[in-house]
PDB file of all heavy atoms in Angstrom:
ATOM      1  N   SER A 271     189.247 152.880 -67.755  1.00 92.00           N
ATOM      2  CA  SER A 271     190.509 153.519 -67.318  1.00 92.00           C
ATOM      3  C   SER A 271     191.409 153.679 -68.559  1.00 92.00           C
ATOM      4  O   SER A 271     192.162 154.740 -68.792  1.00 92.00           O
ATOM      5  CB  SER A 271     191.286 152.867 -66.243  1.00 92.00           C
ATOM      6  OG  SER A 271     191.618 151.514 -66.723  1.00 92.00           O
ATOM      7  N   ARG A 272     191.294 152.766 -69.507  1.00 93.00           N
ATOM      8  CA  ARG A 272     191.998 152.924 -70.813  1.00 93.00           C
ATOM      9  C   ARG A 272     191.052 153.291 -71.935  1.00 93.00           C
ATOM     10  O   ARG A 272     190.628 154.402 -71.980  1.00 93.00           O
ATOM     11  CB  ARG A 272     192.769 151.548 -71.110  1.00 93.00           C
ATOM     12  CG  ARG A 272     193.802 151.218 -70.296  1.00 93.00           C
ATOM     13  CD  ARG A 272     194.979 152.266 -70.261  1.00 93.00           C
ATOM     14  NE  ARG A 272     195.330 152.627 -71.586  1.00 93.00           N
ATOM     15  CZ  ARG A 272     196.121 153.727 -71.749  1.00 93.00           C
ATOM     16  NH1 ARG A 272     196.569 154.345 -70.822  1.00 93.00           N
ATOM     17  NH2 ARG A 272     196.588 153.967 -72.929  1.00 93.00           N
ATOM     18  N   SER A 273     190.551 152.281 -72.714  1.00 95.00           N
ATOM     19  CA  SER A 273     189.612 152.390 -73.746  1.00 95.00           C
ATOM     20  C   SER A 273     189.353 151.100 -74.335  1.00 95.00           C
ATOM     21  O   SER A 273     190.339 150.249 -74.318  1.00 95.00           O
ATOM     22  CB  SER A 273     189.954 153.426 -74.741  1.00 95.00           C
ATOM     23  OG  SER A 273     190.951 152.901 -75.649  1.00 95.00           O
ATOM     24  N   PRO A 274     188.114 150.846 -74.918  1.00 96.00           N
ATOM     25  CA  PRO A 274     187.949 149.486 -75.728  1.00 96.00           C
ATOM     26  C   PRO A 274     188.996 149.439 -76.695  1.00 96.00           C
ATOM     27  O   PRO A 274     189.476 148.229 -77.046  1.00 96.00           O
ATOM     28  CB  PRO A 274     186.552 149.643 -76.119  1.00 96.00           C
ATOM     29  CG  PRO A 274     185.834 150.631 -75.240  1.00 96.00           C
ATOM     30  CD  PRO A 274     186.922 151.618 -74.793  1.00 96.00           C
ATOM     31  N   GLU A 275     189.342 150.464 -77.367  1.00 97.00           N
ATOM     32  CA  GLU A 275     190.255 150.322 -78.472  1.00 97.00           C
ATOM     33  C   GLU A 275     191.604 149.999 -78.060  1.00 97.00           C
ATOM     34  O   GLU A 275     192.320 149.082 -78.626  1.00 97.00           O
ATOM     35  CB  GLU A 275     190.388 151.674 -79.199  1.00 97.00           C
ATOM     36  CG  GLU A 275     189.219 152.224 -79.956  1.00 97.00           C
ATOM     37  CD  GLU A 275     188.093 152.812 -79.090  1.00 97.00           C
ATOM     38  OE1 GLU A 275     188.460 153.016 -77.876  1.00 97.00           O
ATOM     39  OE2 GLU A 275     186.967 153.104 -79.741  1.00 97.00           O
ATOM     40  N   TRP A 276     192.043 150.375 -76.868  1.00 97.00           N
ATOM     41  CA  TRP A 276     193.326 150.106 -76.266  1.00 97.00           C
ATOM     42  C   TRP A 276     193.285 148.726 -76.040  1.00 97.00           C
ATOM     43  O   TRP A 276     194.438 147.842 -76.255  1.00 97.00           O
ATOM     44  CB  TRP A 276     193.597 150.965 -75.133  1.00 97.00           C
ATOM     45  CG  TRP A 276     194.976 150.843 -74.628  1.00 97.00           C
ATOM     46  CD1 TRP A 276     196.019 151.595 -74.807  1.00 97.00           C
ATOM     47  CD2 TRP A 276     195.538 149.778 -73.642  1.00 97.00           C
ATOM     48  NE1 TRP A 276     197.267 151.160 -74.177  1.00 97.00           N
ATOM     49  CE2 TRP A 276     196.858 149.990 -73.405  1.00 97.00           C
ATOM     50  CE3 TRP A 276     194.953 148.727 -72.959  1.00 97.00           C
ATOM     51  CZ2 TRP A 276     197.645 149.216 -72.544  1.00 97.00           C
ATOM     52  CZ3 TRP A 276     195.666 147.961 -72.104  1.00 97.00           C
ATOM     53  CH2 TRP A 276     196.950 148.261 -71.935  1.00 97.00           C
ATOM     54  N   LEU A 277     192.255 148.105 -75.242  1.00 97.00           N
ATOM     55  CA  LEU A 277     192.346 146.619 -74.983  1.00 97.00           C
ATOM     56  C   LEU A 277     192.220 145.735 -76.189  1.00 97.00           C
ATOM     57  O   LEU A 277     192.911 144.723 -76.192  1.00 97.00           O
ATOM     58  CB  LEU A 277     191.069 146.439 -74.078  1.00 97.00           C
ATOM     59  CG  LEU A 277     191.044 147.005 -72.703  1.00 97.00           C
ATOM     60  CD1 LEU A 277     189.696 146.782 -72.037  1.00 97.00           C
ATOM     61  CD2 LEU A 277     192.044 146.315 -71.771  1.00 97.00           C
ATOM     62  N   TYR A 278     191.434 146.184 -77.230  1.00 97.00           N
ATOM     63  CA  TYR A 278     191.317 145.376 -78.379  1.00 97.00           C
ATOM     64  C   TYR A 278     192.758 145.326 -79.083  1.00 97.00           C
ATOM     65  O   TYR A 278     193.160 144.187 -79.485  1.00 97.00           O
ATOM     66  CB  TYR A 278     190.304 146.052 -79.368  1.00 97.00           C
ATOM     67  CG  TYR A 278     190.039 145.286 -80.587  1.00 97.00           C
ATOM     68  CD1 TYR A 278     189.755 143.912 -80.711  1.00 97.00           C
ATOM     69  CD2 TYR A 278     190.231 146.079 -81.766  1.00 97.00           C
ATOM     70  CE1 TYR A 278     189.444 143.359 -81.792  1.00 97.00           C
ATOM     71  CE2 TYR A 278     190.015 145.487 -83.089  1.00 97.00           C
ATOM     72  CZ  TYR A 278     189.615 144.080 -83.124  1.00 97.00           C
ATOM     73  OH  TYR A 278     189.502 143.497 -84.231  1.00 97.00           O
ATOM     74  N   GLY A 279     193.409 146.517 -79.116  1.00 97.00           N
ATOM     75  CA  GLY A 279     194.756 146.478 -79.884  1.00 97.00           C
ATOM     76  C   GLY A 279     195.801 145.724 -79.064  1.00 97.00           C
ATOM     77  O   GLY A 279     196.581 144.989 -79.541  1.00 97.00           O
TER      78      GLY A 279
END
Side-chain angles (χ1 to χ4, degrees):
S271 63
R272 293 304 308 171
S273 71
E275 293 81 7
W276 190 92
L277 290 172
Y278 180 58

